């Protein structure tokens, strides 16, 4: 496995692979790998013959006061794990290599970025779309794998790729969870013991909400109330950022549940902000 820090070097390498007829796969990450990241690499490895994993804590997707500076980092461990999971190139650029001081080009999908996480993180998805687009230009992947844990991100990237005719296949990968149901996240290291103990109730509550729909409830407001009441009870130290039922594709809020619905939640804990979601089929 080669580690590349220079964006132009990555582009040269990938253009050469392209000329040689290789199918390139890309897994964009911010590092501090857990089984979720590794399962994305394994899935991508199976669909390409050159695997590029990017490790970049992208400054433009963090708002003021967010955890850009304290975001957990361990490049040596990440490099070992990426290597073990079949990565050909680990791309670890410096922020200054990715963004000129006068960087002024942005990609956004505003309609889909207003709700859910976008409401409390207004510049987040603009930063995500811009950096993912840059990574597509540099790594030239035929396939890129993203986790369903960040469902809004995945839906927005699918829309960006469709709208801009970007020649890449986007694959969504299921959420990898701890045995007790907590969705794996690099930010779980921020949880206190007390918070960690009750955090699985987020997934449990969403699964119960799906049961409620399965038993005939079709009023999205009633399902949302169920989720917020249950979370207030079972995760008492958390503060709900949002609990929503949305269309899984365009993320529009639902009033009635008449087809597939995504139940999505974000909760502020003392230091962490946890997100989770559950696809409810009708
Ligand atoms: P991050 O490093 O948090 O930006 O995540 C990099 C990629 O890993 C994104 O596509 C995430 O959706 C995905 N990911 C993060 N956590 C999980 C998880 N628990 N299960 C599946 N994918 C995940």
């Amino acid at each position: 496995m080669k580690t590349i820090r220079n964006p132009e070097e990555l582009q040269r390498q990938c253009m050469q692979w392209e000329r040689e007829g290789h199918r390139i796969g890309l897994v964009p990450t911010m590092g501090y790998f857990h089984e979720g990241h590794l399962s994305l690499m394994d899935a991508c490895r199976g669909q390409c013959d050159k695997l590029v994993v990017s490790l970049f804590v992208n400054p433009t997707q963090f708002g003021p006061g967010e955890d850009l500076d304290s975001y957990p980092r361990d490049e040596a461990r990440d490099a070992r794990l990426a290597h073990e999971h079949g990565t050909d190139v680990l791309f670890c650029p410096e922020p200054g290599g990715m963004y000129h001081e006068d960087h002024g080009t942005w990609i956004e999908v505003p309609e889909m970025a207003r709700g859910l996480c976008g409401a409390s993180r207004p510049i987040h998805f603009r930063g995500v779309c811009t950096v993912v687009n840059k990574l597509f230009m540099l790594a030239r992947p035929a396939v890129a794998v993203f986790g369903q844990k960040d469902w809004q991100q995945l839906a927005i990237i699918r829309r960006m790729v469709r709208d801009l005719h970007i020649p890449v296949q986007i694959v969504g990968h299921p959420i990898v969870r701890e045995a007790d149901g907590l969705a794996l996240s690099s930010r779980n290291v921020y949880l206190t013991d007390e918070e960690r103990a009750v955090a699985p109730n987020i997934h449990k509550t969403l699964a119960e909400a799906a049961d409620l729909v399965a038993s005939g409830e079709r009023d999205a407001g009633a399902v949302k109330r169920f989720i917020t009441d249950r979370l207030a009870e079972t995760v008492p130290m958390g503060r709900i950022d949002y609990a929503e039922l949305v269309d899984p594709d365009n993320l529009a809020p639902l009033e009635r549940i008449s087809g597939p619905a995504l139940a999505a939640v974000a909760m502020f804990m003392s230091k962490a902000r946890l997100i989770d979601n559950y696809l409810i089929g009708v």
Side-chain angles (χ1 to χ4, degrees), residues 8 13 27 54 73 92 94 104 109 123 129 172 203 276 282:
E8 284 72 37
Q13 170 69 86
V27 177
S54 64
R73 290 167 166 90
C92 305
E94 296 296 333
V109 188
I123 62 157
C129 285
H203 173 60
D276 205 345
V282 172

Side-chain angles (χ1 to χ4, degrees), residues 5-240:
R5 296 186 193 280
N6 180 302
E8 284 72 37
E9 187 186 342
L10 177 70
Q11 196 173 49
R12 269 195 305 277
Q13 170 69 86
C14 292
M15 283 173 140
Q16 187 189 326
W17 279 338
E18 224 177 19
R19 279 193 301 274
E20 292 167 358
H22 291 296
R23 180 174 161 86
I24 300 169
L26 172 70
V27 177
T29 82
M30 298 205 300
Y32 211 68
F33 294 154
H34 51 63
E35 287 296 328
H37 297 112
L38 303 178
S39 72
L40 263 53
M41 292 175 209
D42 294 344
C44 197
R45 181 72 269 179
Q47 301 199 35
C48 68
D49 49 8
K50 294 291 177 190
L51 174 60
V52 177
V53 173
S54 64
L55 193 178
F56 181 53
V57 183
N58 172 38
T60 65
Q61 68 190 66
F62 287 77
E66 291 187 352
D67 58 346
L68 173 62
D69 296 330
S70 58
Y71 196 83
R73 290 167 166 90
D74 188 344
E75 189 188 310
R77 177 176 172 274
D78 285 350
R80 182 172 54 73
L81 290 168
H83 176 61
E84 285 170 12
H85 287 262
T87 301
D88 293 287
V89 164
L90 184 65
F91 177 52
C92 305
E94 296 296 333
M98 287 295 273
Y99 293 100
H100 289 279
E101 249 171 55
D102 57 352
H103 175 93
T105 306
W106 299 100
I107 296 187
E108 39 186 341
V109 188
E111 275 73 32
M112 294 175 75
R114 254 192 281 281
L116 304 177
C117 289
S120 63
R121 308 188 74 191
I123 62 157
H124 176 68
F125 291 108
R126 185 187 77 158
V128 169
C129 285
T130 303
V131 81
V132 167
N133 202 61
K134 280 165 162 288
L135 293 168
F136 287 165
M137 296 290 165
L138 296 171
R140 315 176 70 79
V143 57
V145 182
F146 294 85
Q148 291 173 352
K149 156 114 190 305
D150 299 272
W151 188 286
Q152 186 175 18
Q153 166 174 288
L154 174 62
I156 288 175
I157 287 169
R158 284 191 196 283
R159 178 64 62 88
M160 172 182 84
V161 163
R162 188 203 72 180
D163 286 353
L164 297 181
H165 309 276
I166 302 174
V168 61
Q169 176 197 351
I170 302 298
V171 174
H173 193 75
I175 303 176
V176 179
R177 300 179 178 282
E178 300 278 8
D180 61 11
L182 175 64
L184 295 185
S185 165
S186 306
R187 288 185 168 106
N188 288 349
V189 294
Y190 296 150
L191 295 172
T192 65
D193 291 347
E194 193 195 6
E195 290 168 346
R196 174 65 189 82
V198 296
N201 289 326
I202 297 175
H203 173 60
K204 194 158 171 260
T205 298
L206 292 175
E208 287 167 359
D211 290 343
L212 191 62
V213 176
S215 68
E217 182 60 76
R218 291 290 176 271
D219 177 4
V223 178
K224 274 198 300 198
R225 273 192 302 282
F226 169 83
I227 294 172
T228 48
D229 290 352
R230 204 92 173 105
L231 288 176
E233 216 175 280
T234 61
V235 190
M237 73 288 272
R239 180 169 65 81
I240 297 172

